[in-house]
Amino acid sequence: MADCLFCSIIAGSTPAHLVYESPEVLGFLDIRPVFKGHTLLVPREHIATMVELPDELTVPLFGAARAVAAAVRTAYGAQGSFVAVNNVVSQSVPHLHVHVVPRTKGDGLRGFFWPRTKYADDDEAASYAEKLRTTLAG
């Protein structure tokens, strides 16, 4: 879809810090992370919401979410993760995306209030992406 930010990232016309790639799914760092390492996983096919996700993409997308949720523990020393999907409401980009947010007890995240942070610079974001890619590659 021409005006979709995530489709533009998938096409390679908008830069992103990629952390996961498969034929069906792409994963990249959120530019406004809740915590550093916050990853978005998207189907390569433009699908607006989870309700529209075809059965054949459910396992690739949520399998990627499971892999990234495990990897953030090793890559960032997180104790766990928060995995979420917004469906229309609070969905800032109308392309289905799964959030995987590294978590540590006492990190300050409460309920559904998602405070956002920033990477110091592009090099710091690239470093977080590299740590996760390396962990996922095993």
Side-chain angles (χ1 to χ4, degrees), residues 15-128:
H17 292 283
L18 304 182
V19 299
Y20 182 92
E21 294 187 70
S22 76
E24 302 90 357
V25 177
L26 187 68
F28 48 91
L29 295 182
D30 191 313
I31 60 168
R32 292 179 36 243
V34 173
F35 298 116
K36 293 174 182 177
H38 178 168
T39 298
L40 301 177
L41 295 157
V42 300
R44 288 182 183 270
E45 176 184 337
H46 183 84
I47 297 166
T49 69
M50 189 169 71
V51 174
E52 298 161 19
L53 183 67
D55 290 345
E56 63 272 10
L57 290 179
T58 300
V59 170
L61 181 60
F62 287 96
R66 180 179 57 205
V68 171
V72 297
R73 295 179 70 180
T74 302
Y76 308 131
Q79 293 172 320
S81 61
F82 174 66
V83 179
V85 176
N86 289 310
N87 226 20
V88 180
V89 175
S90 296
Q91 188 179 0
S92 57
V93 177
H95 184 126
L96 174 61
H97 52 287
V98 178
H99 297 261
V100 180
V101 180
R103 296 290 315 273
T104 302
K105 187 175 172 101
D107 60 19
L109 187 61
R110 302 251 188 267
F112 288 99
F113 175 67
W114 292 19
R116 299 298 185 130
T117 190
K118 293 180 180 180
Y119 293 99
D121 53 32
D122 197 55
D123 289 340
E124 184 184 33
S127 171
Y128 270 80

